[in-house]
Amino acid sequence: MVNKSSFRFLWIGQSLANCGDVFYIVGLITTIYEATGSATYMALVPFFITTSRFISGVIAPLIIDRTRLKLMLAYSQLGKTVIILLLACFSSIFLSSDTIFLIFLFVIVISFLDGWANPASNALLPKLVKPNDLVKANSFLAILDQTIRLGGWPVGGILVAVVGGDNVIWLTFLLFVASTIMMTLIKDNDEDVMMDKKPKKISKWDTLKEGWVTIWQTPPLRTISIVDFIESIANVVWVAAIIYVYVDQVLQTSEQWWGYINASFFAGLMIGGILSLKWSHLVNQHLVMFIVVGAFLVSLTTLIFGLISTPWMALVIAMLFGMANQIKAVAQQTTTQTSVAHRLLPKVYSAKDAIISATFGVSSLSLGYLTDLFGVRFTFLLAATLLFLSAIFVVVNRKDLKLNK
């Protein structure tokens, strides 16, 4: 079954939601700093987001078994809309250093609902497009996502400067309302109706672990999940905080280069999405090759980035890393979507999101500590080594990836 209009509603709704997510975080961080003047409180925002999404990913299968994917996506966005309305009202009227803990409660709930939306969206996509168009659809969504990530933060910053953090949160509410409407217009296949009608009832524990067991028992999923786990550790070096230290210690340039490198990295992600969209048939025919080559390229570019000291070369390498990483990610996403039955796919994505969230959160603290202890060059060399081991693992298990059909 193919539903082009539903795919259109999906990507429009997701794009509006993603814009809102970026704007609300920008506005919220600004509002928190104005109320408290504390960088620690600002840093707690990503911490609570990561923690809440991990918990949500773990328990999401209990919701998946009782709700159609389309409804799960729509209800999640509706819930976020209600919470962001309450947050906007609260921050405009009651926010102070004494009530800041309530802001984090809103952040936790919104992130928790996001943990339901992502698996539902990723699992719904194969139902809305033809199998041969999956690479094209994933590439298109990747381009949209990176465009929003690349442009959302500076646009959000401009909006905060012009209208203030509180009004940006109100803007997010309007975006979430429009996104919710788009989600409700999606029509999925009748097959979803049968999601909760299994031959026999299974316990809650079995429901919770079904996605994890499926990943372990399905060779392509097991291989990709192990690669994702390793890369979640290594790719922490590309977060803003470590890049900031890199600019200071290695490039020894002004703070502006921190922004240049981040922009170059995200530009590479966009270019990679465009290339995979243009070469969609080629990527679809040679998924394993693109995963293997991409794995070695991200390792090599990370190594070179850690060794060089020339600013303009750092921009080029950051862009090349982004390109290779994005094309590989599209190939891995397509492999995941074609490796398991539709009924199990949302649970697989819930488990994968939980793994990535937990790993990224712990690794951010660990690699940040190692950077302080041994310097940022050591951190990049360690990341490059991990990525190289991941590439070797892909080569050794490449036959498993071919089983995705």
Side-chain angles (χ1 to χ4, degrees), residues 319-337:
M319 182 178 293
L320 291 175
F321 173 87
M323 290 170 57
N325 195 61
Q326 187 67 282
I327 295 174
K328 181 175 71 68
V330 168
Q332 289 181 186
Q333 176 87 318
T334 305
T335 301
T336 298
Q337 291 167 339

Side-chain angles (χ1 to χ4, degrees), residues 6-7 23 169 191 229 307 314 386:
S6 290
F7 174 65
F23 290 167
I169 297 176
E191 183 181 354
F229 171 74
L307 293 175
L386 290 172

Side-chain angles (χ1 to χ4, degrees), residues 186-227:
I186 296 173
K187 293 183 179 180
D188 55 1
N189 298 335
D190 290 338
E191 183 181 354
D192 277 350
V193 180
M194 303 301 295
M195 284 182 64
D196 57 345
K197 297 181 180 180
K198 299 180 182 179
K200 60 179 181 179
K201 289 186 177 181
I202 60 176
S203 68
K204 290 184 178 179
W205 171 245
D206 287 336
T207 299
L208 288 173
K209 70 179 184 180
E210 193 171 15
W212 302 82
V213 171
T214 301
I215 287 175
W216 188 252
Q217 293 180 346
T218 309
L221 298 182
R222 184 172 63 241
T223 299
I224 289 175
S225 295
I226 292 173
V227 169

Side-chain angles (χ1 to χ4, degrees), residues 298-361:
V298 296
S299 172
L300 180 62
T301 49
T302 302
L303 175 63
I304 295 173
F305 191 85
L307 293 175
I308 61 176
S309 302
T310 307
W312 70 266
M313 285 187 64
L315 294 181
V316 174
I317 299 302
M319 182 178 293
L320 291 175
F321 173 87
M323 290 170 57
N325 195 61
Q326 187 67 282
I327 295 174
K328 181 175 71 68
V330 168
Q332 289 181 186
Q333 176 87 318
T334 305
T335 301
T336 298
Q337 291 167 339
T338 55
S339 296
V340 68
H342 286 315
R343 186 186 69 81
L344 294 171
L345 195 53
K347 294 183 180 181
V348 167
Y349 274 113
S350 296
K352 283 169 63 68
D353 283 358
I355 293 170
I356 292 172
S357 296
T359 305
F360 188 84

Side-chain angles (χ1 to χ4, degrees), residues 48 83 100-110:
F48 282 123
I83 298 302
I100 196 68
F101 67 95
L102 290 175
I103 288 289
F104 296 127
L105 181 60
F106 289 125
V107 171
I108 289 170
V109 176
I110 290 173

Side-chain angles (χ1 to χ4, degrees), residues 19-34 42 45 49 149 151-161 164-166 168-169 172:
C19 283
D21 287 338
V22 173
F23 290 167
Y24 117 79
I25 293 174
V26 174
L28 186 62
I29 288 176
T30 304
T31 303
I32 289 173
Y33 188 73
E34 289 175 351
M42 293 167 62
V45 173
I49 289 174
R149 289 195 184 197
W153 288 95
V155 171
I158 293 171
L159 288 173
V160 166
D166 288 345
V168 170
I169 297 176
T172 298

Side-chain angles (χ1 to χ4, degrees), residues 139 142-147 149-151 238 259-277 279 297-298 301 314-330:
S139 302
I143 294 169
L144 288 176
D145 182 54
Q146 300 311 328
T147 301
R149 289 195 184 197
L150 183 62
W238 293 96
Y260 298 156
I261 290 175
N262 279 312
S264 183
F265 169 69
F266 281 114
L269 292 175
M270 288 179 59
I271 294 170
I274 293 170
L275 292 177
S276 58
L277 178 62
W279 300 337
L297 285 177
V298 296
T301 49
L315 294 181
V316 174
I317 299 302
M319 182 178 293
L320 291 175
F321 173 87
M323 290 170 57
N325 195 61
Q326 187 67 282
I327 295 174
K328 181 175 71 68
V330 168

